[in-house]
Amino acid sequence: MQSTYMMIKPEIVAADEQKIGEIIAIVQKAGFRIEKMELKQLSRETVEEFYVEHVERPFYGELVDYITSGPVVALQLQRDDAVIKMRELVGATNPVEAATGTIRDLYGTELSTNAVHASDSPESASRELGLVFG
């Protein structure tokens, strides 16, 4: 079994509690077990460290502002091949390019508001889980 991290982003949390439940249902139907789940406001410091690999990119400041603009739902999820399976389930980063039926296809609106974050490697999952859950 492997653990991974998924975050339901602020625009979904702010928009409609039903969407949160729908996304969690999709995740559970895909065989993921919720190990930890918390509605939380991430600090600017945490988000800056979380997205440190993007610090040189022009969108970094906007990304940090966006993620700290409201609460998120942070999830530690477990299943076999969790990182790969979650990346398949969430779809391409840009919702326009996401496969039909993926979370970003269903709930993302554009590249900057793409509904969820999912760890891209086991190493990232471990680092992200440590940052968010301590």
Side-chain angles (χ1 to χ4, degrees):
M1 295 293 254
Q2 182 181 61
S3 292
T4 193
Y5 176 71
M6 184 178 92
M7 171 174 49
I8 301 175
K9 293 182 176 179
E11 85 271 10
I12 299 296
V13 175
D16 184 355
E17 289 180 10
Q18 184 173 336
K19 289 181 182 180
I20 297 169
E22 291 169 2
I23 291 171
I24 292 169
I26 291 168
V27 168
Q28 289 180 306
K29 285 179 189 172
F32 288 88
R33 185 174 71 79
I34 298 171
E35 295 180 290
K36 295 179 186 174
M37 180 171 65
E38 190 174 332
L39 177 68
K40 63 190 314 177
Q41 178 73 47
L42 298 176
S43 71
R44 185 166 198 85
E45 179 181 273
T46 297
V47 175
E48 286 173 348
E49 179 68 20
F50 190 93
Y51 287 112
V52 71
E53 70 273 11
H54 299 304
V55 72
E56 297 297 326
R57 297 202 175 160
F59 60 82
Y60 176 75
E62 290 177 18
L63 177 60
V64 172
D65 289 345
Y66 162 60
I67 297 298
T68 58
S69 69
V72 301
V73 176
L75 296 121
Q76 180 174 329
L77 302 161
Q78 185 181 65
R79 70 162 277 169
D80 290 333
D81 299 319
V83 172
I84 292 169
K85 295 300 184 187
M86 179 55 66
R87 297 294 291 183
E88 292 170 359
L89 188 63
V90 301
T93 303
N94 188 340
V96 174
E97 299 169 359
T100 302
T102 60
I103 293 171
R104 288 182 175 143
D105 168 59
L106 296 170
Y107 298 97
T109 56
E110 57 188 66
L111 184 59
S112 62
T113 51
N114 61 5
V116 295
H117 166 88
S119 300
D120 63 2
S121 69
E123 296 78 21
S124 290
S126 178
R127 184 180 71 80
E128 293 168 355
L129 287 165
L131 281 168
V132 174
F133 291 112

